[in-house]
Amino acid sequence: MRAIYRRELKSYLTSMIGYVFMAFILGVVGLYFGAINIGSAWPRIGDTLSNATFVFLIAVPILTMRVIAEERKQKTDQLLLTAPIKIGEIITGKYFALLTIFLVPLFVISLYPLILKKFGTVSMGMSYTSILGFLLLGCAEMAVGVFLSSVTENQVIAAVLSFAILFLSYVSEGIAGLFPQTAKASLAAFILLIFLVCLWIGSMIKNVIITGTITLLAEVTLIISYIVKPSLLEGLIQKFFGIFNFTSHFDNFINGVLDINGIVYFLSVVIICLFLANQTMQKRRWS
């Protein structure tokens, strides 16, 4: 794992992509810091970070698109897959290299509360809780990027997929608000979602019978639930979108709350996405 980590980290530091990522985050956060905290004499660093979360929508896909997709395109993944090393160690080494690149701008950002304190009273606990939330948010979104980089050998497609998923998460609250909180609206939305998910599963397993059976069982179960107890579906689509809303879990950290549920949520996203990336590479190793 150390060899993978060192190789990945070196690749970021000997090319422009790592520096672009760090400069972009520092540039955007620095602009908001100057406008909100310095210009307006506002002591809460969390508000700066909250306004700057959109930076991940652009920076994360650019950084993560090549993590695994480039290995597949250049066929160097064959060397990794046949090497006496666990797939999990490959994924973990690559992910830790990404985290290291992310920690550089985060270290600079962690100095901002100290700068603000020179000019007045600043809640250091609230400030560093906000920075912790920003760190967890970035970790979760980078894990999403790693997984999506593992499903294709095209870096552009990996970047577009990462941007699309992260953007949907970013606006998920607004999308959920488009649906009425009725059982009928949830039923229609879930019928479509189940169809799309099963379509994706079918493209992965290449088995029409299994895919059709899963789709039929899921759709019939949903319709029976609606007929038997429609109240179960009321507002369910809003709750579903809420699961993917990273920003809502970040909000508590902005307000200085060390949200254990939020920490568990972000770490769960990281573990699930790295597990899925691991499974994708395992499939290639044995195919």
Side-chain angles (χ1 to χ4, degrees), residues 176 181 186 190 231-232 234-245:
Q181 293 195 357
S186 293
F190 277 112
S231 60
L232 284 175
E234 290 177 358
L236 193 61
I237 191 65
Q238 284 76 18
K239 294 177 182 174
F240 176 77
F241 278 109
I243 295 172
F244 302 98
N245 189 349

Side-chain angles (χ1 to χ4, degrees), residues 12 70 82 112 129 192 203 217 220 235 251 272-273:
Y12 291 126
E70 187 180 43
T82 54
Y112 290 172
T129 303
L192 179 60
S203 69
L217 285 174
V220 169
D251 287 343
I272 290 171
C273 288

Side-chain angles (χ1 to χ4, degrees), residues 102-150:
F102 179 43
L103 286 175
V104 174
L106 205 69
F107 172 74
V108 177
I109 292 170
S110 68
L111 301 177
Y112 290 172
L114 300 176
I115 296 173
L116 284 179
K117 199 172 182 181
K118 298 286 184 184
F119 301 97
T121 304
V122 176
S123 171
M124 302 304 282
M126 179 180 286
S127 298
Y128 284 104
T129 303
S130 303
I131 293 172
L132 173 64
F134 195 70
L135 167 66
L136 292 170
L137 178 65
C139 290
E141 300 205 2
M142 285 194 293
V144 172
V146 170
F147 165 58
L148 293 172
S149 179
S150 71

Side-chain angles (χ1 to χ4, degrees), residues 17 59 83 205:
I17 193 165
I205 64 176

